[in-house]
Amino acid sequence: MLQLKNGVYEIGGVAVSQLCDKYDTPLYVYDTGMMEEKFNLLKTSFDGANTKIKFACKALNNINVLRFFKNLGAGLDTVSIQEVWTGIKAGFDPKNIIYTPNCVSLEEIELAVKEGVQINIDNISILEQFGHKYGSSVPVCIRINPHVMAGGNINISTGHIDSKFGISIYQMRHLERVIKSEKIRVNGLHMHTGSDILDVDVFLRAAEILFEATEHFKELEFIDFGSGFKVPYKPDDYYTDVKELGEKLTRSFKNFCKTYGRDLELWFEPGKFLVSQSGTFLAKVNVIKQTTATVFVGVDSGLNHLIRPMFYNSYHHMLNVSNPEGTQRIYTVVGYICETDTFGWDRKMSEVREGDVIAFQNAGAYGFTMSSNYNSRFRPAEVIIHKGKDYLIRKRETLDDLMRNQVEVELK
Ligand SMILES: *Cc1c(COP(=O)(O)O)cnc(C)c1O
């Protein structure tokens, strides 16, 4: 996390200027201190129940980050067989990995079964084929769509009626038929209603719907409430109060367990909550371009490295870390991609000069993992700060990386 100390911006105790000198820009920097703080906050908020936290791999999949969370006691939430393999490589016990794919083939699910991870299925067609093949020999979790509208943006909302995710709560009869005929053993119920939940009560309402659905499943071992915790992006921004959610959900969960007749595990799969604030993205100012309408700050990066502003209209707070004392002025920060790639309009920052470094906050989640080589640009390096020391955890790409897998042929 970026902090101003004695007039110098630092991350986890290391000066930003030192990081830029050593590793160059653009650069992703992660702070393990912040990751641990968030993990512990979530853990203590839900310590009234038997809670398991599965880090959502797709938010930030560097193997060192995965290992860090594993050592804190986290499991892993995966959405592809490749993430399953990555998790196993990172040392996770397959039993602590949940695999929640969407619209994948039965063949891919079979590969996950082979690895021994918890399977989570979200459509009746594949569930039927799964049951036909495995019967009760492989337990399965069912992803339910409770149809509760949550999420800050339509593209990150997954619980609404038009969403492709989950098995509708209204398809319960059909679901039961399939489970019964194929003798499927359902050991968990799951929901994930989307990112950026703005209201604790929305979460609780969805939870109640899941509790009601459990009457159809007698062999449950856990309920997985997915994720969607909103993190603050702007100074004074709204965020999910996990303490309040923890208190309320733990209470209703315990009551539910009494009714159900067994103590179940309570699972979560946060990505953004655990890593968003731990990450800072650093880019250097190439050019300051005054047009008739605005002052553009053009940096040595673009939507190829941080697509969230253009993809989700997300807000990343930006600071000119090279000029902490400078006069506050208004800039529009853009990238170097031949495509409109605006990081932020009309941002107040201390006076920007060419060569200054701009820090983008909340860049830990869905930053590097959504980066690409568009415009034949190299993807950035990644650095992790742990206990005041910096470690390179991913090298900056080179031309060889762009050429790898390309096959040169002679077209006669
Ligand atoms: C993406 C995803 C998550 C993590 O969501 P965040 O908003 O990053 O916390 C959790 N579970 C599933 C199934 C997901 O697809």
Side-chain angles (χ1 to χ4, degrees), residues 56 58 77 79 100 143 190 192 195 227-228 269-272 366:
K58 73 177 188 290
D77 170 64
V79 293
T100 303
R143 180 174 186 168
H190 170 277
H192 174 63
S195 240
S227 180
E269 331 166 318
K272 203 180 273 181
Y366 309 102

Side-chain angles (χ1 to χ4, degrees), residues 54 56-59 77-79 100 120 143 158 165 190-192 194-196 224 226-229 268-274 365-366:
K54 319 266 164 184
C57 184
K58 73 177 188 290
D77 170 64
T78 60
V79 293
T100 303
N120 188 7
R143 180 174 186 168
T158 53
F165 294 98
H190 170 277
M191 69 170 194
H192 174 63
S195 240
D196 287 5
D224 185 337
S227 180
F229 305 106
F268 282 110
E269 331 166 318
K272 203 180 273 181
F273 180 83
L274 293 177
Y366 309 102

Side-chain angles (χ1 to χ4, degrees), residues 178-202:
V178 169
I179 288 167
K180 214 166 162 191
S181 336
E182 300 291 357
K183 300 190 173 51
I184 295 167
R185 181 150 62 95
V186 178
N187 67 341
L189 287 189
H190 170 277
M191 69 170 194
H192 174 63
T193 51
S195 240
D196 287 5
I197 289 174
L198 294 175
D199 190 347
V200 163
D201 290 331
V202 173

